[in-house]
Structure formats: structure tokens, C-alpha cells
Amino acid sequence: MKTEQEKLVLSNYEWSLLIKKISSIVNKAIKIEEHATPQPALKGKRIKEMGLECLEIIKYKNNK
């Protein structure tokens, strides 16, 4: 088991693809949140929050 965290190295294309995929997940989660009964809406909200958190991390890494 590794004790150190490995650095993720991606090309610009791979970063763009990752951002598009996460954005798609966030958009689908928003639709679930808006149009679902309370239980699925709560799951949609959690997925949306986690996706937005991932996008913030990516934005931070790209700005460095």
C-alpha cells in the first residue's frame, strides 16, 4: 500500500475531457434535484455538491 499520494498528470485534452464529464454529471444531478421526489432529490444535491467540489479542485490545480 502506498503512503504517498501520486500526482495526477494529464494532457490539456484529458483535463478538458475530465471537466466536461464532471460538468455533465453536475448538470444531470441538478435535473434530478429539480424534478425528483425528496429522496432522489437529496442524492442529486449531494452528487451536484461533490461534482462542483471536484471542479473547484481542478480549477485550483490549473491555476498553479
Side-chain angles (χ1 to χ4, degrees), residues 3 8 10 18-20 24 27 30 32-33 37-38 41 48 50 55-57 61:
T3 56
L8 180 61
L10 299 174
L18 179 61
I19 291 168
K20 285 179 186 177
S24 175
N27 287 330
I30 289 170
I32 290 170
E33 189 179 7
T37 58
K48 178 186 76 176
M50 290 177 5
L55 290 173
E56 274 298 312
I57 291 168
K61 288 197 178 286

Side-chain angles (χ1 to χ4, degrees), residues 22 26 44-55 57:
I22 294 172
V26 169
K45 182 178 180 182
R46 288 184 188 146
I47 293 168
K48 178 186 76 176
E49 289 170 356
M50 290 177 5
L52 291 173
E53 191 175 315
C54 289
L55 290 173
I57 291 168

